[in-house]
Amino acid sequence: MSSTNRRTQRNADDYYVTPHWLIEDFLAAFAENNMLVCSPDEDPRVLDPSAGGCEQYPMSYPTVLEEEGFIVESWDIREDSRANLTGVNFLNVPSYESRKYDMIITNPPFNLAQEFTEHALEMVKEGGLVIMLQRLNWLGSQKRKPMWQKLPLAAVYVHSKRPGFDPLKPSKTDSTEYAHFVFSKGYELAPELFVI
Ligand SMILES: C[S@@+](CC[C@H](N)C(=O)[O-])C[C@H]1O[C@@H](n2cnc3c(N)ncnc32)[C@H](O)[C@@H]1O
């Protein structure tokens, strides 16, 4: 997802490359929050369902998470992705009770963010985490109000530094702010807000 590029052109399957520093900043802030825990020490089952990567670039989330000690399953719809499983439409993968994940984390295709979040929540255990990178204004709009009234949003990590999604132009930032939205299955309290 990139707000800047979306105005002018669309990459195939909405493929953009999330900068590693953005994920590292999020994971560092997230590790300080004792309420929502997913530590590599507990050997959690982690999935990136739209993992990206291509001939030129590695998959952003799996690469950073694996550096932190997590083992990550990776899927993507593109055959030229570097995911473990390619050609997978995440939204068509059934949610089996016996194969629930502890954490599903990704920068999803922009137009499918809500569907990805809802499907991911079906695929995590009770208390499991679903973490999506989105524009901060995902929180707004009348269209999305019913979604925010039902989804178990637990925390929002706002990135004060704008990212860019073109590795060839690392200093060119996007036209809007981004946040990591953390959902926890069954969560019923008010969400927490962090500014990174
Ligand atoms: C915004 S890019 C993000 C890529 C990577 N997660 C990252 O952060 O660098 C979205 C990714 O979703 C993949 N994608 C699009 N539709 C999908 C679907 N229905 N199921 C699985 N992957 C999909 C695209 O191929 C692309 O790699």
Side-chain angles (χ1 to χ4, degrees):
M1 163 197 51
S2 157
S3 168
T4 305
N5 287 355
R6 223 175 22 255
R7 289 209 199 103
T8 49
Q9 64 176 80
R10 234 198 152 79
N11 288 4
D13 291 310
D14 208 4
Y15 172 46
Y16 295 96
V17 180
T18 303
H20 292 195
W21 64 261
L22 192 82
I23 303 167
E24 288 159 359
D25 285 0
F26 164 68
L27 290 177
F30 186 60
E32 287 176 15
N33 180 355
N34 294 325
M35 200 180 66
L36 301 163
V37 181
C38 188
S39 159
D41 300 337
E42 289 156 15
D43 203 15
R45 190 150 187 237
V46 178
L47 170 68
D48 181 340
S50 51
C54 59
E55 198 178 332
Q56 288 166 292
Y57 304 112
M59 299 176 288
S60 296
Y61 282 86
T63 300
V64 175
L65 285 162
E66 284 167 9
E67 282 167 4
E68 302 277 332
F70 289 93
I71 295 169
V72 184
E73 289 178 45
S74 53
W75 302 345
D76 200 285
I77 201 165
R78 281 179 302 110
E79 296 290 352
D80 65 337
S81 152
R82 291 203 202 178
N84 305 138
L85 284 179
T86 58
V88 177
N89 183 339
F90 174 60
L91 299 176
N92 290 345
V93 176
S95 145
Y96 297 110
E97 277 305 315
S98 56
R99 293 178 59 241
K100 298 273 183 184
Y101 291 89
D102 296 290
M103 178 165 79
I104 297 180
I105 180 168
T106 198
N107 171 0
F110 176 76
N111 282 340
L112 297 175
Q114 179 174 348
E115 290 87 340
F116 260 59
T117 304
E118 289 172 348
H119 193 56
L121 281 163
E122 287 173 16
M123 296 182 75
V124 292
K125 300 170 182 168
E126 196 63 21
L129 300 174
V130 171
I131 303 174
M132 297 283 159
L133 177 69
Q134 280 292 287
R135 293 178 302 159
L136 186 53
N137 70 2
W138 197 32
L139 285 169
S141 100
Q142 296 202 332
K143 184 177 147 219
R144 286 190 285 270
K145 187 177 174 190
M147 171 185 107
W148 291 117
Q149 287 174 326
K150 71 178 178 190
L151 289 186
L153 181 66
V156 179
Y157 289 78
V158 180
H159 290 274
S160 54
K161 187 178 164 194
R162 285 184 184 179
F165 293 88
D166 183 349
L168 293 176
K169 298 176 188 159
S171 57
K172 187 176 171 222
T173 54
D174 208 90
S175 58
T176 189
E177 275 71 34
Y178 283 77
H180 277 94
F181 292 80
V182 180
F183 304 85
S184 178
K185 191 165 178 165
Y187 191 84
E188 290 181 343
L189 303 175
E192 291 188 286
L193 177 64
F194 301 89
V195 180
I196 304 172

